[in-house]
Amino acid sequence: MFFIGIFGMGTKNKDIRIINNMICKSCGRMTSYKFIKTYNYFEIFFIPIFKWSERYYLISKCCGSLFELSKEEGEQLAKGDDSILDKLNITIVEDNSRCGKLMCHNCGKEVDESFEFCPYCGTRLKN
Ligand SMILES: [Zn+2]
Ligand SMILES: [Zn+2]
């Protein structure tokens, strides 16, 4: 069939840039975010004809959590406008900061969840 390969549709991820000196909204550590955009596209002869449902995301380097931005905020950040960074309204899509970890209820340190006692203060973690 002649038309195979001429039309294409799919979803693409595009890395836009890295944003440094941010506090992770998931684990609270100082981190950098990878700012990406995803969109669906339709192309003919490998030329994208249109794009739709563009979405903007941040992925934190510290724990790999995923956050979604509103389209307006994403577009401003993509233009290099960092003035909105302080008041970003991001939603956690995937919180990876707690996977495999427990927080000690006595000293607040992060402990592997296989431990029965906190290695920092000796508190019993499980009942
Ligand atoms: Zn984090
Ligand atoms: Zn502890």
Side-chain angles (χ1 to χ4, degrees):
M1 172 75 174
F2 181 68
F3 289 109
I4 289 176
I6 292 178
F7 299 106
M9 254 173 90
T11 308
K12 271 194 174 136
N13 290 345
K14 190 171 172 249
D15 290 5
I16 301 176
R17 63 197 171 98
I18 303 289
I19 300 169
N20 290 309
N21 300 321
M22 297 291 289
I23 302 287
C24 177
K25 290 246 177 185
S26 181
C27 69
R29 275 179 286 190
M30 196 73 180
T31 190
S32 57
Y33 284 125
K34 185 154 94 167
F35 179 38
I36 64 161
K37 176 183 180 175
T38 68
Y39 56 89
N40 294 326
Y41 67 94
F42 177 76
E43 62 182 17
I44 300 174
F45 283 117
F46 306 106
I47 299 161
I49 303 301
F50 46 78
K51 296 177 186 173
W52 73 98
S53 67
E54 291 169 292
R55 283 160 178 271
Y56 295 92
Y57 295 99
L58 293 171
I59 302 167
S60 65
K61 196 182 164 201
C62 47
C63 56
S65 293
L66 182 71
F67 307 89
E68 185 169 5
L69 291 165
S70 72
K71 196 165 183 257
E72 294 73 35
E73 289 172 329
E75 279 168 357
Q76 273 185 279
L77 269 186
K79 279 184 221 149
D81 181 1
D82 285 353
S83 66
I84 62 163
L85 283 177
D86 297 337
K87 39 185 193 293
L88 275 187
N89 190 16
I90 58 182
T91 328
I92 297 190
V93 185
E94 229 181 274
D95 184 352
N96 293 325
S97 68
R98 295 275 165 264
C99 74
K101 298 280 182 198
L102 280 175
M103 177 118 78
C104 172
H105 54 84
N106 183 49
C107 67
K109 290 228 170 50
E110 229 173 54
V111 181
D112 197 282
E113 68 179 0
S114 62
F115 290 171
E116 204 166 322
F117 294 92
C118 173
Y120 303 100
C121 66
T123 303
R124 194 184 176 90
L125 299 168
K126 292 172 187 171
N127 299 317

